Amino acid sequence: MQLKENMFLLIAVSSEVLATGILRKTEGFTVLAYSLPCGLLYMLCHYSFSKAVQGMNLAVAYALWCGFGIVASTLFSSFLYREKISLQSIALITIIGICCILLDLFN
């Protein structure tokens, strides 16, 4: 995978995690102060992902996007919303993260 595609994938994951992180604060998209940035971040996410898949295998890109998104969203919600994470969840999310790294290395 080339650096350009990796950067677009990183932007896609980051913007999706931020958008998902503030989604709760939109209160069903009724609070404009959170709804507007949330919508813009989702648009940036999908634009960036569309650019990333131009030079990547779609299945690999989607697996990496989802996997890294799960790991990052879990950390984000844990710190921002003080949500509790069980040891089993930590173990399984760690496995997802390791699998994403291995998938990236071998493709």
Side-chain angles (χ1 to χ4, degrees), residues 67 70-79 83-99:
I70 290 168
V71 173
S73 293
T74 301
L75 294 172
F76 190 89
S77 66
S78 174
F79 290 112
E83 294 177 349
K84 303 288 185 219
I85 307 170
S86 69
L87 288 176
Q88 293 90 350
S89 294
I90 291 171
L92 293 169
I93 290 168
T94 300
I95 291 170
I96 291 171
I98 291 169
C99 289

Side-chain angles (χ1 to χ4, degrees), residues 35-56:
S35 299
L36 188 59
C38 185
L40 292 172
L41 284 166
Y42 277 128
M43 287 192 304
L44 175 62
C45 165
H46 288 280
Y47 171 79
S48 299
F49 189 70
S50 74
K51 291 299 208 177
V53 298
Q54 287 179 351
M56 298 174 66

Side-chain angles (χ1 to χ4, degrees), residues 2-4 11 20 43 54 58 61 64 74 87 99 102:
Q2 295 177 349
L3 181 60
K4 185 172 97 173
I11 293 167
T20 301
M43 287 192 304
Q54 287 179 351
L58 178 61
L64 291 171
T74 301
L87 288 176
C99 289
L102 292 174

